[in-house]
Amino acid sequence: MFKSKPLATLVALACAQAAMANQPVTLDEVVVTATRTTTPVAKVLSDITVLGREEIAQSGNLTVAELLSREAGVEFYSNGGEGKSSSLMLRGATAKQTVVLIDGVRVVSATAGTTSLEYLNPDAIERIEILRGPASSLYGADAIGGVVQIFTKRGSGAPALSANVGVGAEGKRVVGAGISGKVDRTAFNLAFSHNRTEGISARSNRLPTYNPDRDGYENTTYNASVQHQLAPGHSLNLTAFQSESVNEYDGSAKAQDEANSRLVGQSLELKNRLGEHWNSSLRYSYSADKSLNYTNGNFVKPSSYYETRQNEWQWQNDLSLGSAGLLALGLVNTEQHVLSSTAFTQTRRSVNAAFAGYQGEFGAHRLQGSVRYDDNSQFGGHRTGQVGYGFVPAAGWLLRVGYGTAFKAPSFNDLYWPLSFGYQGNPKLKPEEARNRELSAQWRQGSNSVKFTAFDNRIENLIAGNADYSSVINIDKAHITGQTLEGSTVIAGINLAANVTSQRARDEKTGKILQYRSKLHGGVTASLALDRTTLSAELRAAGKRPTSTANTEYLRGYGVVNLGADYQLDKQWTLNTKLTNVGDKRYETVKDYNQPRRGWFVGVRYAQ
């Protein structure tokens, strides 16, 4: 079932992990992604990690994908520097097998089947929750590897202003401002951020389409939220998010190529406490992912246009059963519409779903489970489920086992791509299906913690090209096994952090390693607070990775070191500095695409 493997040199480091933030996760901190209800971290029977605002702020000029890749079980790869196409892998599952939510709203391209993480600005983010493992029984299609939920800032306390400005290597410039607070029964937050960089030359000079020019990137993000208490136990909440980006890339050797993108997420939610034991929420959300590509220096007419528009209704009811536990029941309706310069044979699909979740605590024993049924207009119904059992042998300890199923729906590109150059989509495709088993042991006492998790995930009906590459079919099976080890401690005032992941992600038919999966990856972070100064350091490392399913060529392993320092000028002003890729390491996460060399960033943050 679970195949063990020596964890090599990083294992020793993993016994000394601590949150890089000055405010590490505490036992009474709560999360919502693991169960769709507010649950204390200590009682969650899932593999979850929380990144707080301080840790995100101290990351300096790291992208969202780079920030996430410091955590156990998370890998990323990108086609060049900042703003270039980035993909996230949780426990060896692809970006198409991972759900990304922004304030509970999924912003996804239904044609590509992924979320454009590269266009998300960390300055707009308050908190991130990473849920590893199958979660389709809570969130529906595509949650095979897990769920990443991003929370934007919310208002609280007296109204206050905030601002930030910074400069960095490769012509990087950032500026942002916001106001947030609470007046009477209304909390609010309004903010914007702008990020611009001249970038690096994204592609390697080994390619015939190599263009030595810099591939710049520019992003402007707006986000707003309002929470108004209608009456005790009743509130109306509004959130809005928009990210607009211009990204230069190398598609031709002599002319300039550019992608203009817009991500939008909006939601209106009514929350009602209908009784002592009954909380209800009704939410409508709209999201859009729009991309226009301009090639060969022609910026008058786009060469391609893709847009996904999604409307969704969710109704969830949380019922307290007293000492018997908590029951969550919900209904979901999702409508997707694709607009494109490509003449897809179908442009719409709908999903109606019902789900139920349960949590119970009985002395030292804990139970957690969920079931869901999704009725997809393209391929019909699909059932998923998950069950977890936990045992607390002593204070601070938690032993748990879990089993869950998940599935991934085929994208519009997979299903409905029109006949072009001998290739077309396959409307008869079935969903990819996964069965995951895992066990975990964890201990936490104050700032000290250790967590070991082993997982075994079998994925069937993998979508892959047929023999003559004229279409795609369900043919392959994958088997992903692995272990993650995390821990935390404070030594002589130094917060230390390390995690390591050992995994084998293989094609069951050929025995080959899946593309771009390393067998070993991990990281170490450390921070030290000295009066007004906080010093930080981090190492992110990964082993060699195959560039194709044939495993004939590998990218070399790499290790990147970043250093940082924050200085509290006064109660309101903070100086933030960062030195990235200190060793000036040459490395690639995608074949023939460069990664940034040594870089720097200096910024100032203001908060009332």
Side-chain angles (χ1 to χ4, degrees):
M1 178 179 174
F2 299 106
K3 297 181 180 179
S4 62
K5 188 181 187 300
L7 300 184
T9 57
L10 286 177
V11 173
L13 297 173
C15 294
Q17 188 202 23
M20 184 177 170
N22 293 328
Q23 298 175 343
V25 174
T26 58
L27 287 177
D28 56 354
E29 184 168 5
V30 296
V31 294
V32 297
T33 310
T35 61
R36 294 187 68 122
T37 61
T38 302
T39 306
V41 170
K43 298 184 178 181
V44 168
L45 301 183
S46 304
D47 189 6
I48 193 164
T49 296
V50 180
L51 303 180
R53 179 61 206 157
E54 286 301 315
E55 184 169 5
I56 296 170
Q58 288 177 5
S59 67
N61 61 339
L62 295 184
T63 65
V64 171
E66 289 173 327
L67 180 65
L68 294 171
S69 70
R70 303 189 308 184
E71 305 306 319
V74 183
E75 294 179 276
F76 94 103
Y77 56 90
S78 70
N79 293 9
E82 188 175 359
K84 306 306 175 279
S85 177
S86 299
S87 294
L88 197 69
M89 294 183 288
L90 293 184
R91 289 185 175 178
T94 67
K96 293 183 178 181
Q97 298 166 336
T98 300
V99 167
V100 177
L101 305 172
I102 302 174
D103 293 325
V105 178
R106 191 173 185 196
V107 182
V108 64
S109 166
T111 52
T114 58
T115 297
S116 299
L117 283 174
E118 62 271 19
Y119 300 141
L120 301 181
N121 192 332
D123 287 339
I125 299 173
E126 179 71 21
R127 172 186 173 94
I128 303 176
E129 295 180 5
I130 307 170
L131 174 64
R132 306 173 189 85
S136 287
S137 57
L138 290 172
Y139 296 99
D142 308 335
I144 289 178
V147 176
V148 174
Q149 179 151 206
I150 295 170
F151 299 89
T152 57
K153 298 177 182 179
R154 293 290 182 269
S156 62
L161 297 172
S162 63
N164 68 284
V165 63
V167 297
E170 314 299 349
K172 185 178 179 69
R173 302 288 187 272
V174 299
V175 62
I179 182 171
S180 64
K182 186 175 183 180
V183 177
D184 195 16
R185 295 184 297 172
T186 302
F188 64 93
N189 176 73
L190 298 171
F192 91 96
S193 58
H194 182 77
N195 174 23
R196 182 176 182 176
T197 176
E198 295 177 7
I200 63 173
S201 182
R203 303 200 76 167
S204 165
N205 59 11
R206 296 189 297 267
L207 295 175
T209 56
Y210 168 70
N211 190 331
D213 69 329
R214 290 174 178 263
D215 297 307
Y217 171 68
E218 186 170 3
N219 172 274
T220 301
T221 297
Y222 308 90
N223 62 282
S225 66
V226 179
Q227 300 85 40
H228 179 69
Q229 185 185 51
L230 303 171
H234 304 270
S235 65
L236 187 64
N237 306 324
L238 170 68
T239 64
F241 163 87
Q242 180 172 292
S243 172
E244 295 184 337
S245 302
V246 177
N247 176 42
E248 298 174 356
Y249 65 96
D250 287 340
S252 55
K254 297 181 179 180
Q256 192 171 358
D257 307 283
E258 188 177 281
N260 292 2
S261 302
R262 176 185 291 176
L263 304 180
V264 174
Q266 302 164 357
S267 69
L268 183 64
E269 183 176 26
L270 178 64
K271 291 187 175 182
N272 296 287
R273 186 171 181 83
L274 301 178
E276 184 180 356
H277 304 290
W278 182 10
N279 289 307
S280 178
S281 66
L282 178 64
R283 184 177 68 192
Y284 166 76
S285 65
Y286 168 81
S287 63
D289 179 307
K290 182 179 180 180
S291 177
L292 295 92
N293 286 283
Y294 297 88
T295 57
N296 294 314
N298 180 4
F299 299 104
V300 177
K301 182 180 180 180
S303 59
S304 64
Y305 158 61
Y306 298 94
E307 183 175 6
T308 298
R309 297 177 182 175
Q310 177 171 295
N311 293 276
E312 186 171 86
W313 287 91
Q314 290 191 26
W315 184 32
Q316 181 169 325
N317 295 272
D318 302 332
L319 306 174
S320 174
L321 307 178
S323 60
L326 176 67
L327 182 65
L329 303 172
L331 298 173
V332 183
N333 169 258
T334 306
E335 303 284 341
Q336 288 184 329
H337 182 201
V338 170
L339 300 94
S340 174
S341 56
T342 299
F344 288 98
T345 56
Q346 295 283 343
T347 59
R348 296 178 183 270
R349 69 179 171 193
S350 62
V351 180
N352 293 308
F355 66 88
Y358 172 78
Q359 303 171 65
E361 183 176 355
F362 308 94
H365 306 274
R366 293 173 184 168
L367 295 174
Q368 180 178 308
S370 55
V371 293
R372 177 165 169 146
Y373 178 78
D374 287 81
D375 183 15
N376 188 297
S377 60
Q378 198 281 322
F379 54 77
H382 206 90
R383 296 177 177 85
T384 51
Q386 184 178 13
V387 62
Y389 167 74
F391 177 65
V392 182
W397 281 91
L398 175 62
L399 309 177
R400 66 174 183 87
V401 295
Y403 174 82
T405 60
F407 75 102
K408 174 198 167 299
S411 69
F412 275 75
N413 286 354
D414 296 329
L415 292 164
Y416 307 125
W417 189 270
L419 180 62
S420 176
F421 298 102
Y423 172 87
Q424 67 180 42
N426 179 3
K428 296 182 180 180
L429 285 174
K430 299 177 181 178
E432 296 179 352
E433 299 178 333
R435 294 174 288 115
N436 181 82
R437 297 170 289 181
E438 63 184 81
L439 57 85
S440 178
Q442 61 188 69
W443 169 81
R444 178 180 291 275
Q445 187 176 63
S447 58
N448 302 307
S449 71
V450 176
K451 181 169 72 172
F452 172 81
T453 304
F455 55 91
D456 184 298
N457 197 5
R458 295 180 182 270
I459 307 173
E460 299 180 347
N461 292 333
L462 277 178
I463 298 171
N466 59 5
D468 60 3
Y469 298 100
S470 62
S471 189
V472 287
I473 56 176
N474 295 108
I475 187 171
D476 292 337
K477 297 181 180 180
H479 188 195
I480 306 174
T481 61
Q483 307 86 33
T484 60
L485 181 61
E486 308 166 71
S488 66
T489 194
V490 178
I491 300 177
I494 302 175
N495 293 327
L496 297 174
N499 65 76
V500 63
T501 300
S502 173
Q503 65 182 11
R504 285 186 173 271
R506 295 187 176 275
D507 184 317
E508 281 205 327
K509 182 174 65 175
T510 65
K512 303 291 187 180
I513 299 173
L514 299 180
Q515 186 181 30
Y516 291 129
R517 274 69 155 196
S518 62
K519 292 184 178 180
L520 192 70
H521 61 90
V524 181
T525 62
S527 68
L528 173 64
L530 297 171
D531 193 19
R532 294 185 176 186
T533 304
T534 300
L535 305 175
S536 62
E538 66 182 66
L539 164 67
R540 177 167 48 87
K544 65 178 184 178
R545 291 136 290 137
T547 62
S548 69
T549 55
N551 289 187
T552 55
E553 185 179 3
Y554 284 76
L555 296 178
R556 293 181 300 175
Y558 67 89
V560 175
V561 175
N562 302 324
L563 301 175
D566 281 11
Y567 180 73
Q568 193 79 33
L569 299 171
D570 58 27
K571 292 182 178 181
Q572 297 176 327
W573 293 91
T574 302
L575 177 67
N576 173 231
T577 63
K578 193 82 172 183
L579 186 63
T580 56
N581 194 359
V582 175
D584 203 25
K585 180 76 173 180
R586 289 181 179 268
Y587 69 103
E588 296 178 353
T589 58
V590 175
K591 180 177 167 25
D592 296 326
Y593 284 89
N594 299 317
Q595 289 295 307
R597 302 286 294 277
R598 182 186 295 120
W600 58 271
F601 178 81
V602 177
V604 177
R605 299 196 305 269
Y606 171 81
Q608 283 186 321

